[in-house]
């Protein structure tokens, strides 16, 4: 890749090779990584297509339940990215629900400000079952 002197002097990160950008991205948490993917088409493509990045994100997850769900999804034929995105956020919501974080909200403001993940019918079923058992 040819990089002109002006680009280097202006400090543009876009002249970095893809493997270096992926190394940098590997230090981001899941929410920051999602935000980085919205920055430009190049970053979105790198983030979306790197199986190594998403495998690394899975290995960095400290919650054993989340890892279990991600690995199970991967064994069912999903990509590392799909497995991570389908299970990481929903497991966080499941854990918070177990602690009672979302039980009996008195107002809309008591709920999370945004949804960070898609929720499957099975995940909702588990959450509703936990709520019934309270």
């Amino acid at each position: 890749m040819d990089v002109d002197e002006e680009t280097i002097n202006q400090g543009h990160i876009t002249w970095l090779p893809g493997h270096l950008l992926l190394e940098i991205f590997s230090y981001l948490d899941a929410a920051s990584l999602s935000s980085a993917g919205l920055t430009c088409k190049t970053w979105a493509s790198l983030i979306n297509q790197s199986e190594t990045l998403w495998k690394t994100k899975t290995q960095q997850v400290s919650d054993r339940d989340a890892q279990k769900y991600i690995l199970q999804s991967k064994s069912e034929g999903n990509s590392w990215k799909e497995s991570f995105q389908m299970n990481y956020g929903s497991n966080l919501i499941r854990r918070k629900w177990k602690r009672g974080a979302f039980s009996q909200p008195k107002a809309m403001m008591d709920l999370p400000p945004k949804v960070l993940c898609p929720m499957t019918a099975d995940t909702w079923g588990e959450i509703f079952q936990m709520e019934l058992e309270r």
Side-chain angles (χ1 to χ4, degrees):
M1 172 190 276
D2 290 333
V3 181
D4 62 31
E5 191 69 28
E6 182 180 342
T7 300
I8 293 172
N9 290 336
Q10 291 178 359
H12 288 268
I13 196 167
T14 56
W15 65 268
L16 289 173
H19 71 278
L20 287 179
L21 287 170
L22 287 171
E23 178 69 24
I24 293 167
F25 295 152
S26 71
Y27 291 95
L28 299 177
D29 62 29
S32 299
L33 189 57
S34 294
S35 295
L38 300 173
T39 302
C40 66
K41 290 179 183 178
T42 302
W43 287 18
S45 178
L46 280 170
I47 291 168
N48 290 330
Q49 294 176 10
S50 175
E51 282 291 283
T52 304
L53 176 65
W54 293 102
K55 183 177 181 180
T56 300
K57 287 283 118 200
T58 298
Q59 293 167 339
Q60 292 171 349
V61 171
S62 60
D63 183 321
R64 294 289 177 218
D65 285 339
Q67 270 194 349
K68 179 183 78 170
Y69 286 111
I70 294 168
L71 294 173
Q72 178 182 349
S73 178
K74 177 63 177 141
S75 72
E76 293 169 356
N78 294 307
S79 70
W80 281 108
K81 178 188 176 207
E82 292 169 330
S83 299
F84 187 92
Q85 289 183 328
M86 287 189 304
N87 294 288
Y88 180 71
S90 62
N91 192 62
L92 291 176
I93 291 172
R94 192 181 296 112
R95 273 196 354 250
K96 287 181 181 181
W97 203 291
K98 281 181 183 178
R99 291 192 313 249
F102 307 124
S103 291
Q104 302 174 348
K106 304 220 183 320
M108 184 72 156
M109 300 300 290
D110 294 340
L111 296 173
K114 60 183 176 178
V115 176
L116 296 176
C117 65
M119 297 285 283
T120 65
D122 289 340
T123 303
W124 279 115
E126 289 177 37
I127 289 171
F128 290 142
Q129 186 61 41
M130 285 187 285
E131 191 63 19
L132 288 173
E133 292 170 1
R134 282 189 199 274

